[in-house]
Amino acid sequence: MTEVSVQQWGEPGGLGPIDLWVLQSAQVRVEVLSLGASIRSVCSKGREGQMEDVVLGFDHLEGYVSDQRYLGATVGRVANRIAQGRFVVDGKEYSLDINNGSNALHGGLRGFNKAIWLATAMEGGVQLSLTSPDGDQGYPGEVQVTVSYTLQGETLTAEYQARSTKTTPINLTNHSYFNLAGQAAADIYDHQVSIRAQSYLPVDDSSIPTGEIRRVKGTPFDLTTPVLIGPRLKEVPGPGFDHNFCLSFPGDSWTERHAARVCHPASGRVLEVSTSQPGVQFYTANFLDGLTGKGGVKYGKHSSFCLETQNWPDAVNQASFPSCLLRPGEDYHHVTRFTFTTV
């Protein structure tokens, strides 16, 4: 049985009131904000029964209003990067705001992470709804979006649905940063990760996929069996992991698949992720630089990890990738489950 409650968490100037929703089961406690449809916290038990908040975030609303690192947020209309902030749909070229080097990232300067979503209670959780107008951040079509968070026992489910009045790219995910040791842990070097993917996408210097789909075998990206993150980061080129792992391919049927497992042996906490999405972006917080978070903790490089279940990056510009286009009359629908257990 999951208890669901809500309280007003603040009202930043000109934005309107922000709700804080609490989902509580016997094993897990989750907080969700109507700002950005964000996961503010997830408290889960360790091996000895001790509860820790394993999601990075802020103590006060102002932190989320000014945040540029997408802590806990739902990102869209298109998560991840679009090369040069440009794409062509039905013969028309669209230009987006450039907000990540030479590319467009996570929906633009004011993406879904900065919107106030309409939140309503549902069985075991909360449903958040948003209307993204035609032309929003440069994207075509009015899009009606819902994100539902439900908690059942030890599993938090995020379900994404959308419809559009025009053909548009869409790619929704949650950008929670996790550290299974809790808020005070400086890094994730003592976490073990495995990702059920035989291939990954190499990227260029601006983190755009090159178009190659490369086998992980024999590379530092082989996470098919559990790997300690700290030593493996020393083998990965660049500042760390920020790569798409391929869970399915164009033409594969829509189904939920096991995607990843992360274990923190010292506390016994385990996070398992399954999803219907064709990819998962494994990101090791390479660009956190001392951001002040909950309890005054400084969140630095490699202080956490993200498992962003999503379509492959820049899919709108790469014909060999799974399509990210949503056409009028079609339904966008994906599910991701986060399960918190112990060993």
Side-chain angles (χ1 to χ4, degrees):
M1 185 69 182
T2 298
E3 296 179 8
V4 179
S5 60
V6 61
Q7 65 190 66
Q8 191 170 321
W9 206 52
E11 189 168 349
L15 290 180
I18 308 298
D19 292 335
L20 173 68
W21 290 76
V22 179
L23 318 181
Q24 176 87 56
S25 72
Q27 296 93 344
V28 177
R29 183 181 190 272
V30 177
E31 293 183 351
V32 174
L33 291 174
S34 58
L35 176 61
S38 303
I39 296 175
R40 183 181 173 269
S41 73
V42 175
C43 294
S44 67
K45 294 180 180 179
R47 186 186 299 112
E48 308 301 327
Q50 70 277 24
M51 297 288 284
E52 287 284 355
D53 184 358
V54 298
V55 167
L56 273 58
F58 303 100
D59 287 328
H60 305 291
L61 182 56
E62 290 72 20
Y64 291 94
V65 172
S66 60
D67 176 38
Q68 299 298 314
R69 300 299 184 190
Y70 308 94
L71 268 66
T74 295
V75 291
R77 181 176 304 191
V78 175
N80 218 305
R81 295 170 179 86
I82 294 178
Q84 305 298 314
R86 294 180 178 180
F87 61 89
V88 176
V89 170
D90 295 337
K92 181 177 179 180
E93 181 172 300
Y94 294 88
S95 296
L96 311 173
D97 289 326
I98 303 302
N99 62 339
N100 183 253
S102 59
N103 305 314
L105 176 69
H106 290 333
L109 295 173
R110 289 197 62 83
F112 290 0
N113 60 304
K114 293 301 183 186
I116 297 180
W117 297 56
L118 176 65
T120 55
M122 61 183 296
E123 182 68 30
V126 57
Q127 182 181 80
L128 301 111
S129 303
L130 179 69
T131 298
S132 173
D134 186 10
D136 188 11
Q137 307 301 302
Y139 290 97
E142 179 184 279
V143 176
Q144 302 283 342
V145 186
T146 63
V147 178
S148 299
Y149 295 113
T150 53
L151 181 63
Q152 186 168 16
E154 54 206 10
T155 298
L156 173 65
T157 298
E159 185 168 9
Y160 304 88
Q161 295 175 280
R163 291 178 68 88
S164 180
T165 60
K166 296 180 183 177
T167 301
T168 184
I170 190 165
N171 187 22
L172 305 178
T173 193
N174 180 270
H175 206 293
S176 287
Y177 292 75
F178 295 97
N179 188 314
L180 299 183
Q183 297 296 309
D187 57 59
I188 50 167
Y189 299 150
D190 58 351
H191 288 48
Q192 295 174 340
V193 62
S194 59
I195 297 178
R196 189 173 290 184
Q198 301 297 327
S199 303
Y200 79 102
L201 301 181
V203 295
D204 65 17
D205 290 342
S206 69
S207 295
I208 294 293
T210 62
E212 178 188 0
I213 302 169
R214 186 179 295 176
R215 303 285 286 182
V216 299
K217 189 173 183 180
T219 78
F221 298 89
D222 188 349
L223 306 178
T224 53
T225 57
V227 166
L228 196 62
I229 292 179
R232 182 56 60 93
L233 279 171
K234 297 176 182 177
E235 302 176 34
V236 175
F241 287 100
D242 191 8
H243 297 78
N244 177 81
F245 287 77
C246 307
L247 304 175
S248 65
F249 293 86
D252 287 352
S253 59
W254 190 104
T255 187
E256 288 185 46
R257 299 171 176 85
H258 177 76
R261 180 181 187 270
V262 181
C263 175
H264 182 241
S267 68
R269 288 189 187 86
V270 175
L271 168 60
E272 296 194 64
V273 179
S274 63
T275 187
S276 62
Q277 290 275 21
V280 58
Q281 187 89 358
F282 179 46
Y283 174 53
T284 47
N286 309 324
F287 302 110
L288 290 188
D289 53 4
L291 188 68
T292 300
K294 295 172 186 172
V297 172
K298 300 290 187 183
Y299 298 144
K301 180 180 179 181
H302 300 160
S303 60
S304 51
F305 65 90
C306 302
L307 288 165
E308 304 162 58
T309 56
Q310 56 187 262
N311 201 348
W312 300 4
D314 197 37
V316 71
N317 290 315
Q318 309 224 21
S320 63
F321 288 6
S323 175
C324 67
L325 295 181
L326 176 65
R327 294 176 172 83
E330 294 179 344
D331 291 308
Y332 175 93
H333 179 222
H334 281 291
V335 175
T336 296
R337 302 187 199 277
F338 304 91
T339 300
F340 301 88
T341 57
T342 58
V343 292

